Amino acid sequence: MEDEMQSEVYNQSVCIMNAAVYMHYVEKKNMHQIAEILNISASTVSRLLKRALDENVVKFEIEPNFLECTELATIIRKKSGLREVLVVPVLSDTNSGTALTVKKMVALEGARYIQRIITDDDIIGLTWGGTMYHLIQYLNPCRKANAKVITMHGSIANCDEKLAVDTLVRRAAMAFGGKNVSICRNGLFDRPEDYELLRSTEIYRKMTTLFENINISISGVGLLYPTTTTLLASTNYLKPEEFQELLSQHAYADIMLRFIDKNGCECNTSMKQRTFSIDLETYKKIPLKIIVASGIEKGPAIQALINGKLLDVLIIDQKLAKLLAFPIS
């Protein structure tokens, strides 16, 4: 006992430590303020706060939902080899658990992420869709970047104007304060010959050159398996026979108007050679490919993209993350 007391001679007063802890964690004072009040140095305050942690005077607890999100992100990142995974907590109350609310929460994190990394020199490729619509609504207009935003595919027949890619690109560029480039051509041509004619035009050469220079892409993903929820199915974009062709080819997902199978390879359909969109090989070369998605039904589509190495950063909700981290066999 005497030896223990002797060693305490070289430690600061327990009372001083408690005072520092209270002022820092309860009264929210910074270290310099505490140092002045207690007549000690700021470095001593730092040591006192560390001692309080080491001796369990102060204990931190992460809310279980938020802790689980971090753990799920780590599991998915290690399993998939992705550069980064962000998992958005879904709280248990009914308001925050609705599909639309979750989609908006994930879109908000997508907007925050893109604005955290964007620079004036970036060329950003953007796709259409509901998630992209909400993401662009959440872009902070106070955080400007003179980046260029371009469409990665042509237009979609009978698409809701607010979801159309050219509309989204213009709004994103307005939020960033940068420039935008849109494709004023259909995404899917009726005949291969019409698409071949387009390939000889200046607009085609210009857009394919821009595609090759995209360094950041951001997209949602459409689902075709095991159920079909892709917005492409609710427009007149696909004819009935084309949709049946996709089902026969076991299409799992669509991204940038390209249809993907379970392994992340493009389905060899009649639409492949009639689609005005960035081709999959060019897309794969984009240095940073961001996918933003929500809803557990998107699990097979996301896994297909992972299998095909079609993304680098994944931003998803907690429930979808659970499915990806611990798939049901």
Side-chain angles (χ1 to χ4, degrees):
M1 181 67 178
E2 186 175 341
D3 290 342
E4 290 177 8
M5 291 297 294
Q6 187 68 29
S7 66
E8 281 296 316
V9 169
Y10 299 99
N11 285 331
Q12 286 283 351
S13 160
V14 171
C15 296
I16 292 292
M17 178 183 70
N18 291 346
V21 165
Y22 188 85
M23 283 187 272
H24 185 67
Y25 292 108
V26 179
E27 297 180 341
K28 308 301 181 184
K29 289 182 169 60
N30 63 41
M31 292 188 190
H32 291 287
Q33 290 172 321
I34 297 169
E36 187 174 340
I37 293 169
L38 297 179
N39 195 30
I40 55 179
S41 67
S43 60
T44 299
V45 174
S46 177
R47 287 195 295 274
L48 288 171
L49 296 177
K50 182 180 182 303
R51 179 185 170 191
L53 287 170
D54 292 342
E55 296 180 4
N56 290 323
V57 174
V58 175
K59 298 179 182 179
F60 293 107
E61 181 180 75
I62 302 175
E63 200 279 332
N65 253 16
F66 289 81
L67 178 60
E68 182 181 69
C69 287
T70 302
E71 292 172 342
L72 289 171
T74 301
I75 291 169
I76 296 169
R77 182 172 51 79
K78 288 181 177 179
K79 285 177 62 175
S80 63
L82 294 177
R83 187 182 310 179
E84 192 167 359
V85 178
L86 278 67
V87 177
V88 178
V90 178
L91 304 180
S92 57
D93 65 89
T94 53
N95 287 334
S96 66
T98 64
L100 179 58
T101 302
V102 172
K103 178 179 285 192
K104 289 181 177 180
M105 291 163 61
V106 173
L108 174 59
E109 286 305 316
R112 288 169 170 165
Y113 183 85
I114 194 73
Q115 289 198 289
R116 193 162 68 244
I117 64 169
I118 193 172
T119 70
D120 289 346
D121 298 325
D122 288 326
I123 299 179
I124 300 173
L126 196 69
T127 64
W128 83 305
T131 301
M132 293 300 98
Y133 167 77
H134 291 298
L135 185 151
I136 288 164
Q137 302 307 306
Y138 289 127
L139 290 174
N140 184 346
C142 296
R143 302 190 65 179
K144 300 295 185 183
N146 193 29
K148 182 178 287 185
V149 187
I150 72 171
T151 63
M152 292 198 291
H153 57 76
S155 60
I156 297 163
N158 299 315
C159 169
D160 185 335
E161 179 62 25
K162 71 180 184 180
L163 305 182
V165 68
D166 55 335
T167 302
L168 299 181
V169 163
R170 284 197 305 271
R171 290 182 176 175
M174 286 175 61
F176 290 135
K179 301 174 183 177
N180 72 91
V181 180
S182 297
I183 298 176
C184 300
R185 296 289 190 280
N186 289 335
L188 181 63
F189 284 73
D190 290 331
R191 304 184 307 165
E193 310 90 85
D194 295 333
Y195 184 67
E196 283 304 312
L197 283 175
L198 173 68
R199 286 168 60 90
S200 64
T201 64
E202 182 61 29
I203 181 66
Y204 183 87
R205 286 190 288 270
K206 177 183 176 183
M207 290 309 302
T208 51
T209 299
L210 281 172
F211 289 160
E212 291 169 356
N213 286 283
I214 293 171
N215 67 309
I216 300 173
S217 69
I218 185 160
S219 173
V221 59
L223 178 68
L224 287 105
Y225 177 87
T227 57
T228 301
T229 61
T230 174
L231 287 174
L232 291 179
S234 61
T235 69
N236 290 335
Y237 180 78
L238 295 173
K239 297 175 182 176
E241 61 270 23
E242 292 169 339
F243 183 69
Q244 288 303 315
E245 188 180 358
L246 287 172
L247 295 182
S248 69
Q249 290 277 330
H250 306 293
Y252 263 57
D254 67 84
I255 178 174
M256 309 162 308
L257 308 187
R258 301 286 177 183
F259 297 99
I260 310 301
D261 66 16
K262 181 179 181 178
N263 299 315
C265 300
E266 186 169 6
C267 296
N268 191 23
T269 67
S270 62
M271 288 85 80
K272 184 176 179 179
Q273 303 305 324
R274 296 185 282 122
T275 298
F276 191 8
S277 169
I278 185 171
D279 67 84
L280 220 54
E281 291 309 309
T282 302
Y283 171 77
K284 286 181 179 179
K285 294 176 184 176
I286 296 173
L288 184 63
K289 299 175 287 296
I290 306 164
I291 296 293
V292 185
S294 64
I296 58 172
E297 69 279 0
K298 291 286 182 74
I302 296 296
Q303 190 58 58
L305 298 184
I306 291 172
N307 293 342
K309 301 187 184 303
L310 298 175
L311 69 161
D312 301 297
V313 173
L314 180 61
I315 303 174
I316 53 176
D317 68 272
Q318 185 177 2
K319 292 182 179 179
L320 176 53
K322 283 183 185 179
L323 184 64
L324 291 172
F326 307 108
I328 301 171
S329 56

